[in-house]
Amino acid sequence: MIELGQLEGRHEDFARRNTRVIVISIEGLDKAQETQGDFPHLLVLSDQSRTLSEAIGVVHPQFAPDGGDTDDPTTILVDRYGVVRWLYRSGQVIARLSPDEVLQAIDQHMP
């Protein structure tokens, strides 16, 4: 959750770029709503059925702290037309991009 707090803290930088940060969570709706309350400038989507996570191939089986499944940290930049402009997936489940790295990718890859 540290990463979500860092993204939340930079919400004005994302807004200046007309960019919305969307977080996909494989947890249930109640947990996603709780997370949404903690980070009001992000959009938190519950994907408990894993439809989206499986479609984009990010489910990492049995890698959550409790032994359950988790999503690989993945950053996807999608333009307003639904075109994927850039994708980053770390080779390590615990590694994530910093807000500065995400903003730099937006500046480089979004029209």
Side-chain angles (χ1 to χ4, degrees):
M1 294 277 202
I2 292 170
E3 295 83 6
L4 296 183
Q6 292 171 344
L7 292 168
E8 174 75 20
R10 300 291 296 276
H11 70 89
E12 291 177 2
D13 294 323
F14 290 102
R16 276 194 287 278
R17 290 165 173 82
N18 295 316
T19 302
R20 212 161 169 197
V21 177
I22 301 173
V23 178
I24 308 300
S25 170
I26 62 174
E27 298 167 330
L29 184 58
D30 290 344
K31 183 65 175 165
Q33 288 174 334
E34 181 182 320
T35 302
Q36 181 68 74
D38 293 339
F39 307 103
H41 295 99
L42 309 180
L43 176 60
V44 180
L45 300 178
S46 173
D47 186 32
Q48 187 173 11
S49 66
R50 299 183 188 168
T51 304
L52 178 58
S53 297
E54 289 176 3
I56 60 176
V58 298
V59 176
H60 197 102
Q62 302 172 344
F63 231 81
D66 65 358
D69 298 346
T70 189
D71 282 352
D72 285 331
T74 305
T75 302
I76 304 171
L77 300 181
V78 181
D79 70 15
R80 68 182 66 174
Y81 304 106
V83 176
V84 174
R85 298 292 180 173
W86 186 75
L87 181 139
Y88 173 82
R89 183 171 301 149
S90 172
Q92 299 177 343
V93 174
I94 61 169
R96 287 162 175 76
L97 294 174
S98 71
D100 285 333
E101 290 168 318
V102 176
L103 290 164
Q104 181 180 16
I106 291 166
D107 292 342
Q108 289 179 352
H109 301 284
M110 296 301 285

